[in-house]
């Protein structure tokens, strides 16, 4: 049962596109509702961080924004953010995030202040499509190098996901949601499209104790895009014709997330424990079909692949007062991830597995993590205060992909970091505060590192405020960069265990003000200047090994810089909320700083706008979001290990939705993603001093998609 969407497309485009396109030379800060990228206190309701908002400008995406977007995982809700790009990979099914053009290795992702485990790292290069947000209260975004507070890889910024804790009143809350979504113009209830089910139950036993549990299933059937599916074969005159149309453009996957938590208040002390299990089943269909004869008849097969990921997360946080206003915060986490790889021969006619060629553990990671700090150590001093803390990370494991096609020489490695940090606060006047900070890191893999930061605030008035933050951070090499090994008669590709972390420094200056316009109108505006400098960046190089063979490896030779300005505005008038914003971003990448002859930045304009209108009479909110991403510069590598600087073309992303309350317990959200039907964007890489260029096309979307989400909430007392 396929879904014809032409008439629906025209209908939605007329209503929403007319609203949003009129705003495309302006932009929104972050989301669709009343608080686009509001500044919040980082510690928030869950007390996972305890530093004042004086230190950073913090943006937030709240629960209402998430619901309006019909978001199910982190990738769904970050598409609309001004300085964030979501980078999907159709072949692996992974989606990573970049900030100011720096990829996911430079952005640290936390859940309740604790770094998320990834395939070969902790907190960075996370597959954000694997992070379910059904139990999320809000998402916080901090831009700039945040190494003093968050350690390695917090070079471009930090994304912190705050989960829900308890209810306002004693009793039960049961939440059930069903979501059906097309993938482009493809939809069938079982075999095509996207099918999502969520269930969550919360019990507030009394004012001190609550617990919750839930499960979510996200079934993505893949994106065919002219491919013919798993069971397709082209047979002509009893001969298999390899037209490369078997399989799908985007590979199908099923994700299941189950979680439980307990929140306990013991006097003034709080204990929060969270347990989560995640499973992903990813199928990769080979486009090539093998024409085989068996017992005199044609029996075509294909060599397919399957990845299964299992992840367990155990987090506990304890916080409370030590004495007076002095507070402590302690976190301990154990996370384990295993990914199994299977390569098998699939019989297309019989539609079943014929034989298994490889069935092995592909990747394994075990991470112990702990962080603790004490703040307001000198609460009686008006001029001076201090926060001190430590962070400990122990990661061990292996990645068989990084050792050359599941060889027997699997590299197992352990990296341990011991870190101490401190933040001081000087407040010479009521309007001025100065906050210097430092972190010392001792690593078993790398040289010792000292990270520093300095932030300052000056409040001209209650509304007009100036904030400046300068700080450093470093990006640690990932597992593949350190230990990749693929050597045979035709290949000599190896990681470099002597790599050192990349060093980054950023400067952010923020000026914000808010105005009352007319009787019921408010305008919040924020201007930002930023500069990010990255040296000793890791890149692919070509050299020789000890035997004189050509060696493709990694080294610290690149450098990169970002320079830009951001203007964010949000206007609220009665039931209207309009967000307008723009970033003018300059990027400069050089393969070798000493040899560069190009000191110019490549500038691009990024725009964002959002519009939301609430209809109280109908309990309905209508919203749309538009984001324009200008031409960007990046560094590309080819199969021979050569590195080039190239350009990626501009594109525009447009979403729209209607959220309405059908009854006191039932809500419905109807929406459209990617109204402009963006599927591919082109990149052109220049070979430096050579005249040749390489052009590639990258999949970033799966076409214009429609979704309908039904949410049922039931609350009752004990």
């Amino acid at each position: 049962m396929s879904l014809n969407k032409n008439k629906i497309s025209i209908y939605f485009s007329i209503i929403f596109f007319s609203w949003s396109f009129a705003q495309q030379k302006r932009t929104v800060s972050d989301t669709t509702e009343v608080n686009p990228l509001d500044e919040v206190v980082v510690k928030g309701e869950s007390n996972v961080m305890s530093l004042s908002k004086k230190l950073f400008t913090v943006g937030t995406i709240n629960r209402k924004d998430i619901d309006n977007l019909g978001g199910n995982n982190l990738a769904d809700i970050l598409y609309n953010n001004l300085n964030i790009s979501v980078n999907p990979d159709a072949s692996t099914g992974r989606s990573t995030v970049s900030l100011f053009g720096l990829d996911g290795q430079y952005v640290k992702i936390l859940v309740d202040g604790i770094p998320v485990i990834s395939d070969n790292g902790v907190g960075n290069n996370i597959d954000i499509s694997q992070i379910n947000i059904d139990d999320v209260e809000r998402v916080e975004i901090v831009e700039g190098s945040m190494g003093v507070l968050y350690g390695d890889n917090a070079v471009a910024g930090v994304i912190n996901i705050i989960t829900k804790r308890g209810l306002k009143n004693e009793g039960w809350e049961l939440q059930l949601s069903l979501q059906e979504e097309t993938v482009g113009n493809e939809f069938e209830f079982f075999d095509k499209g996207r099918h999502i089910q969520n269930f969550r139950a919360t019990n507030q036993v009394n004012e001190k104790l609550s617990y919750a549990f839930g499960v979510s299933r996200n079934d993505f059937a893949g994106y065919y895009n002219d491919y013919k599916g798993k069971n397709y074969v082209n047979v002509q005159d009893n001969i298999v014709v390899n037209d490369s149309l078997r399989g799908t453009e985007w590979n199908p996957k099923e994700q299941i997330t189950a979680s439980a938590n307990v929140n306990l208040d013991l006097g003034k002390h709080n204990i929060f424990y969270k347990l989560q299990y995640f499973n992903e089943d990813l199928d990769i269909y080979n486009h090539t079909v093998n024409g085989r004869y068996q017992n005199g008849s044609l029996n075509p097969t294909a060599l397919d692949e399957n990845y299964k990921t299992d992840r367990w997360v155990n987090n506990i946080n304890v916080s409370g007062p030590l004495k007076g206003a002095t507070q402590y915060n302690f976190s301990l986490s154990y996370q384990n991830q295993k990914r199994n790889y299977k390569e098998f021969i699939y019989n297309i006619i019989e539609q079943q597995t014929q034989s298994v060629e490889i069935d092995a553990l592909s990747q394994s990671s075990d991470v112990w993590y702990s962080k603790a700090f004490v703040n307001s150590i000198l609460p009686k001093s008006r001029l001076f205060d201090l926060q001190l803390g430590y962070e400990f990370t122990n990661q061990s494991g292996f990645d068989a992909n990084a050792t050359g096609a599941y060889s027997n020489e699997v590299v197992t490695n352990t990296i341990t970091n011991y870190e101490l940090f401190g933040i001081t606060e000087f407040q010479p006047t009521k309007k001025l505060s100065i906050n210097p900070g430092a972190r010392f890191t001792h690593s078993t893999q790398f040289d010792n590192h000292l990270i520093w930061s300095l932030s300052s605030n000056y409040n001209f008035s209650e509304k007009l405020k100036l904030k400046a933050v300068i700080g450093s951070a470093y990006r640690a090499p990932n597992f593949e960069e350190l230990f990749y090994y693929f050597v045979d008669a035709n290949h000599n590709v190896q990681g470099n265990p002597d790599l050192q972390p990349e060093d980054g420094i950023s400067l952010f200056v923020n000026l914000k003000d808010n105005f009352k316009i007319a009787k019921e109108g408010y305008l919040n505006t924020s201007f930002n200047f930023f500069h990010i400098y990255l040296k000793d960046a890791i890149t692919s190089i070509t050299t020789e090994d000890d035997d004189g063979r050509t060696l493709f490896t990694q080294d610290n030779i690149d450098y990169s810089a970002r320079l830009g300005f951001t203007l964010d505005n949000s206007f609220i008038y009665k039931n209207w909320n309009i967000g307008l914003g723009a970033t003018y971003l300059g990027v400069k990448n050089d393969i070798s700083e000493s040899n560069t002859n190009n000191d110019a930045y490549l500038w691009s304009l990024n725009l964002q706008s959002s519009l939301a209108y609430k209809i109280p009479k109908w309990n309905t909110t209508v919203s749309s979001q538009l984001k324009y991403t200008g031409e960007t510069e990046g560094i590309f590598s080819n199969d021979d290990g050569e590195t080039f600087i190239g350009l990626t073309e501009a594109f525009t992303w447009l979403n729209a939705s209607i959220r309405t309350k059908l009854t006191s317990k039932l809500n419905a959200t109807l929406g459209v993603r990617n109204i402009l039907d963006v599927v591919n964007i082109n990149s052109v890489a220049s070979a430096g001093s050579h005249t040749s260029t390489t052009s590639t096309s990258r999949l970033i979307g799966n076409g214009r998609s429609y979704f309908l989400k039904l949410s049922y909430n039931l609350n009752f007392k004990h």
Side-chain angles (χ1 to χ4, degrees):
M1 181 179 73
S2 299
L3 184 66
N4 188 324
K5 305 183 298 177
N6 292 334
K7 293 183 180 179
I8 302 176
S9 172
I10 295 172
Y11 173 75
F12 271 102
S13 297
I14 291 173
I15 293 179
F16 296 112
F17 189 77
S18 60
W19 287 354
S20 297
F21 191 74
Q23 312 295 331
Q24 70 174 321
K25 294 186 179 180
R26 301 175 280 176
T27 114
V28 247
S29 282
D30 208 39
T31 53
T32 64
E33 271 298 321
V34 178
N35 299 311
L37 267 186
D38 290 337
E39 188 177 68
V40 299
V41 179
V42 182
K43 70 175 182 179
E45 298 172 359
S46 60
N47 200 31
V48 294
M49 301 180 186
S50 64
L51 289 178
S52 168
K53 64 181 180 181
K54 289 181 179 180
L55 289 178
F56 308 113
T57 300
V58 183
T60 180
I61 307 173
N62 61 40
R63 185 68 231 180
K64 189 176 291 186
D65 302 330
I66 295 171
D67 291 337
N68 282 345
L69 291 167
N72 182 72
N73 59 52
L74 190 58
D76 290 338
I77 66 171
L78 291 182
Y79 266 104
N80 304 299
N81 289 268
L82 184 58
N83 296 316
I84 292 178
S85 297
V86 176
N87 308 309
D89 188 322
S91 60
T92 64
R94 301 180 80 248
S95 291
T96 56
V97 67
S98 63
L99 189 57
F100 301 109
L102 293 170
D103 66 30
Q105 298 188 88
Y106 302 88
V107 182
K108 197 151 193 176
I109 296 181
L110 318 171
V111 173
D112 293 330
I114 296 175
V116 179
I117 190 173
S118 68
D119 290 348
N120 52 37
V122 182
N124 66 313
N125 207 27
I126 303 299
D127 180 0
I128 59 174
S129 72
Q130 294 183 347
I131 300 179
N132 181 270
I133 56 173
D134 179 52
D135 66 343
V136 168
E137 181 66 31
R138 66 183 183 276
V139 177
E140 299 170 346
I141 302 168
V142 185
E143 298 173 345
S145 297
M146 301 292 130
V148 168
L149 286 181
Y150 307 110
D152 59 347
N153 306 316
V155 178
V158 171
I159 298 174
N160 188 29
I161 301 160
I162 307 297
T163 58
K164 296 177 181 178
R165 297 190 183 188
L167 304 173
K168 293 181 179 180
N169 302 309
E170 293 183 15
W172 282 89
E173 180 181 67
L174 303 180
Q175 298 172 294
L176 175 67
S177 67
L178 304 174
Q179 183 168 330
E180 294 295 317
E181 186 168 337
T182 72
V183 177
N185 61 359
E186 303 166 4
F187 181 79
E188 293 178 3
F189 277 113
F190 297 102
D191 297 326
K192 292 184 178 181
R194 190 179 178 201
H195 316 282
I196 303 167
Q197 304 90 39
N198 289 306
F199 170 77
R200 177 177 171 84
T202 305
N203 182 16
Q204 187 71 42
V205 180
N206 51 48
E207 62 179 9
K208 296 182 179 297
L209 174 65
S210 69
Y211 61 90
F213 55 90
V215 63
S216 173
R217 176 179 178 268
N218 185 349
D219 180 21
F220 174 67
Y223 180 40
Y224 286 72
N225 195 26
D226 296 330
Y227 284 88
K228 304 298 184 181
K230 175 181 180 180
N231 296 313
Y232 168 79
V233 59
N234 185 357
V235 178
Q236 298 181 15
D237 298 326
N238 207 33
I239 296 176
V240 170
V241 177
N242 266 311
D243 53 15
S244 299
L245 292 179
R246 180 182 179 265
T248 56
E249 182 87 90
W250 293 73
N251 293 309
K253 60 182 177 180
E254 181 186 46
Q255 298 173 333
I256 295 176
T257 304
S259 62
N261 67 62
V262 177
N263 191 50
L264 175 64
D265 289 323
L266 297 175
K268 297 181 179 180
H269 303 270
N270 176 264
I271 301 174
F272 179 74
Y273 172 72
K274 183 179 180 68
L275 171 67
Q276 185 180 81
Y277 169 73
F278 171 81
N279 172 269
E280 180 180 80
D281 194 341
L282 170 67
D283 289 315
I284 301 177
Y285 303 136
N286 200 323
H287 297 315
T288 301
V289 176
N290 300 312
R292 296 180 178 180
Y293 282 88
Q294 187 175 6
N295 299 325
S297 61
L298 188 63
N299 196 33
T301 61
L303 186 63
D304 290 345
E305 299 171 293
N306 173 267
Y307 284 95
K308 287 186 178 179
T309 301
D310 289 285
R311 179 188 305 140
W312 287 95
V313 177
N314 294 267
N315 294 342
I316 187 168
N317 176 261
V318 184
S319 59
L322 284 177
K323 183 179 180 181
T326 303
Q327 301 280 323
Y328 75 91
N329 193 307
F330 169 80
S331 295
L332 177 65
S333 173
Y334 172 71
Q335 302 179 58
N336 170 270
Q337 176 173 298
K338 295 184 183 298
R339 188 179 68 234
N340 196 77
Y341 172 76
K342 182 185 289 186
E343 185 179 85
F344 58 95
I345 296 175
Y346 180 76
N347 190 305
I348 299 175
I349 300 298
E350 297 179 359
Q351 298 185 12
Q352 63 181 9
T353 299
Q354 180 169 299
S355 63
V356 176
E357 304 297 302
I358 299 174
D359 191 353
L361 186 62
S362 165
Q363 179 268 335
S364 176
S365 293
D366 284 280
V367 175
W368 282 97
Y369 172 86
S370 179
K371 183 176 183 178
F373 50 84
V374 178
N375 67 344
S376 299
I377 294 177
L378 303 171
K380 295 182 179 180
S381 173
R382 187 186 68 83
L383 298 177
F384 178 77
D385 206 348
L386 177 66
Q387 171 177 295
L388 295 175
Y390 79 85
E391 192 165 359
F392 167 81
T393 307
N394 177 273
Q395 179 194 1
S396 61
F398 64 87
D399 188 341
N401 279 341
T403 56
Y406 304 96
S407 69
N408 294 323
E409 302 296 327
V410 174
V411 176
T412 301
N413 189 64
T414 299
I415 301 176
T416 305
N417 285 359
Y418 306 89
E419 307 180 62
L420 298 174
F421 63 91
I423 300 272
T424 59
E425 179 176 353
F426 297 94
Q427 192 163 3
T429 70
K430 290 183 178 181
K431 294 186 175 182
L432 175 66
S433 65
I434 302 171
N435 303 83
R439 173 185 288 241
F440 174 77
T441 299
H442 171 72
S443 173
T444 58
Q445 181 69 42
F446 314 113
D447 293 339
N448 295 336
H449 254 74
L450 180 64
I451 302 171
W452 54 270
S453 70
L454 177 64
S455 64
S456 181
N457 299 268
Y458 188 82
N459 299 332
F460 296 96
S461 66
E462 280 191 26
K463 297 181 178 180
L464 181 60
K465 299 180 180 182
L466 177 67
K467 186 192 309 290
V469 182
I470 183 171
S472 67
Y474 69 91
R475 199 274 285 183
N478 62 38
F479 192 89
E480 289 194 17
E481 291 168 335
L482 291 168
F483 303 113
Y484 191 94
Y485 186 85
F486 186 26
V487 178
D488 58 20
N490 301 312
H491 303 87
N492 188 14
V493 186
Q494 301 182 40
N496 181 359
D498 296 324
L499 286 173
Q500 291 301 310
E502 305 174 1
D503 287 316
I505 297 176
S506 73
L507 170 65
F508 278 73
V509 180
N510 171 261
L511 181 65
K512 68 172 186 176
D513 202 352
N514 59 79
F515 310 90
K516 185 174 182 179
I517 300 176
K519 186 177 181 180
E520 300 181 65
Y522 299 90
L523 174 65
N524 298 313
T525 186
S526 174
F527 175 78
N528 295 277
F529 164 79
F530 60 88
H531 182 255
I532 302 173
Y533 178 78
L534 188 68
K535 68 174 182 177
D536 295 329
I538 298 169
T539 192
S540 301
I541 65 167
T542 304
T543 183
E544 290 186 354
D545 62 14
D546 294 338
D547 298 324
R549 294 181 61 192
T550 299
L551 170 65
F552 299 104
T553 185
Q554 309 280 332
D555 207 350
N556 298 88
I557 63 171
D558 280 7
Y559 90 106
S560 178
R562 269 82 175 143
L563 178 67
F565 312 88
T566 297
L567 181 63
D568 280 329
N569 299 278
S570 63
F571 177 67
I572 303 169
Y573 180 73
K574 294 184 178 179
N575 297 324
W576 292 90
N577 185 293
I578 302 173
L580 310 168
T583 293
Y584 194 49
L585 174 66
V587 177
K588 180 167 60 174
N589 291 307
D590 284 284
I591 296 173
S592 176
E593 183 174 12
S594 60
N595 296 328
T596 181
N597 55 11
N598 179 17
D599 293 328
Y601 285 87
L602 174 69
W603 291 92
S604 64
L605 180 64
N606 301 313
L607 304 170
Q608 189 183 45
S609 71
S610 71
L611 182 65
Y613 180 69
K614 188 173 183 179
I615 310 172
K617 181 179 179 180
W618 298 343
N619 289 320
T620 298
T621 299
V622 184
S623 58
S624 65
Q625 312 88 36
L626 181 144
K627 180 181 177 183
Y628 168 81
T629 301
E631 187 179 58
T632 56
E633 183 181 83
I635 295 179
F636 304 87
S637 298
N638 63 18
D639 294 336
D640 296 326
E642 296 177 293
T643 304
F644 309 116
I645 295 173
L647 300 178
T648 299
E649 67 181 6
F651 65 95
T652 302
W653 199 271
L654 177 62
N655 296 335
S657 66
I658 300 174
R659 179 174 171 81
T660 186
K661 182 173 286 189
L662 299 176
T663 70
S664 61
K665 299 179 177 62
L666 183 63
N667 292 281
T669 307
L670 178 66
V672 193
R673 305 190 203 276
N674 191 12
I675 292 177
L676 301 182
D677 203 22
V678 179
V679 176
N680 299 282
I681 57 173
N682 297 317
S683 299
V684 178
S686 174
S689 60
H690 304 285
T691 57
S692 62
T693 60
T694 301
S695 179
T696 60
S697 180
R698 180 166 64 93
L699 284 164
I700 65 163
N702 45 41
R704 185 184 302 113
S705 301
Y706 299 83
F707 68 88
L708 173 63
K709 182 175 183 178
L710 298 175
S711 303
Y712 183 79
N713 290 2
L714 177 63
N715 296 83
F716 55 90
K717 296 182 179 181
H718 293 130

